[in-house]
Amino acid sequence: DSGVTQTPKHLITATGQRVTLRCSPRSGDLSVYWYQQSLDQGLQFLIQYYNGEERAKGNILERFSAQQFPDLHSELNLSSLELGDSALYFCASSVAGGHGNTIYFGEGSWLTVV
Amino acid sequence: GESVGLHLPTLSVQEGDNSIINCAYSNSASDYFIWYKQESGKGPQFIIDIRSNMDKRQGQRVTVLLNKTVKHLSLQIAATQPGDSAVYFCAAIIMDTGRRALTFGSGTRLQVQP
């Protein structure tokens, strides 16, 4: 158990809908990362937050957004869902206080868009 | 894009043999590297890390070797066990104004034959 908690574990929704994925980082970790893993794209970095502020952006679509709250949990919002958004979405966290801080991953949220 | 999923390179070894999984990275500015193990349906799990000021680091049954000259990383697993069967990813930190998001290499599927 990495200490990173993600909910829901599985989600099935229809195209055009909107979903929210939730992540609680490890205790003490200030930084949260979101990754998308699908068969044809591998592990793709989406976005990083550090202590409530956006730190870095990767291949995140405009239909997707995220935020990190004062209690450091994070949410990834996916809207106008398309079939191609079906994937495993991972949240990860780290202390992010400097070099060499290990990044720990949650178990992921399986999203199926039908 | 990255090569993962059905097109993953596969390494098949006999139980008890040593395994060597290789990874190449492209950005010479990377100065921190991590190996992750991902079992089916689970999140990537931290195995071992190494900083660019080192060329070798050992853990329990695992050794990571770093060759910065050719931008190559390898993971050696001693006395491979069935529980080592998984997809292995190397990841690098691209140092860019504090961004610490990981860039994942293409994974390798390790199959341990009993």
Side-chain angles (χ1 to χ4, degrees):
Chain A
D1 182 5
S2 67
V4 179
T5 305
Q6 290 186 247
T7 58
K9 292 194 186 313
H10 300 273
L11 188 58
I12 300 174
T13 190
T15 54
Q17 295 299 305
R18 181 179 189 275
V19 299
T20 297
L21 308 180
R22 194 178 190 279
C23 170
S24 294
R26 293 187 330 142
S27 178
D29 284 0
L30 299 178
S31 199
V32 169
Y33 312 76
W34 286 98
Y35 283 83
Q36 179 192 55
Q37 186 175 39
S38 53
L39 281 177
D40 59 352
Q41 292 294 322
L43 267 161
Q44 297 290 326
F45 167 67
L46 296 178
I47 198 163
Q48 175 198 0
Y49 280 83
Y50 175 73
N51 204 20
E53 294 189 359
E54 183 182 304
R55 176 62 66 91
K57 232 174 192 180
N59 301 321
I60 188 166
L61 300 172
E62 287 191 7
R63 299 183 285 109
F64 296 0
S65 65
Q67 54 184 328
Q68 186 180 27
F69 296 87
D71 67 352
L72 301 176
H73 91 271
S74 177
E75 292 181 355
L76 178 66
N77 301 297
L78 314 174
S79 61
S80 303
L81 285 167
E82 302 174 359
L83 295 177
D85 297 327
S86 295
L88 188 53
Y89 290 85
F90 286 107
C91 171
S93 73
S94 70
V95 172
H99 283 227
N101 289 302
T102 303
I103 297 175
Y104 293 92
F105 285 79
E107 295 289 285
S109 291
W110 280 98
L111 173 66
T112 302
V113 182
V114 297
Chain B
E2 301 293 339
S3 168
V4 291
L6 293 176
H7 303 289
L8 282 177
T10 299
L11 175 66
S12 186
V13 300
Q14 290 293 124
E15 182 179 354
D17 287 352
N18 296 333
S19 304
I20 299 177
I21 301 171
N22 296 304
C23 174
Y25 63 96
S26 57
N27 194 324
S28 57
S30 301
D31 63 357
Y32 178 57
F33 306 88
I34 313 174
W35 279 100
Y36 283 91
K37 170 186 179 183
Q38 187 176 22
E39 296 175 87
S40 181
K42 294 189 175 183
Q45 177 188 0
F46 172 85
I47 303 174
I48 191 168
D49 59 1
I50 188 168
R51 302 184 187 189
S52 59
N53 61 353
M54 304 169 68
D55 52 22
K56 179 179 180 179
R57 191 168 187 215
Q58 288 184 292
Q60 187 176 16
R61 282 202 307 119
V62 294
T63 300
V64 55
L65 299 177
L66 174 64
N67 185 331
K68 295 182 289 294
T69 302
V70 295
K71 297 197 284 286
H72 181 268
L73 202 62
S74 69
L75 177 71
Q76 300 177 4
I77 304 174
T80 313
Q81 301 169 0
D84 295 326
S85 293
V87 175
Y88 289 80
F89 292 97
C90 70
I93 295 291
I94 309 295
M95 297 310 297
D96 178 19
T97 60
R99 168 181 168 162
R100 297 199 67 255
L102 295 167
T103 298
F104 281 84
S106 46
T108 297
R109 188 182 305 280
L110 176 66
Q111 294 178 337
V112 181
Q113 308 297 329

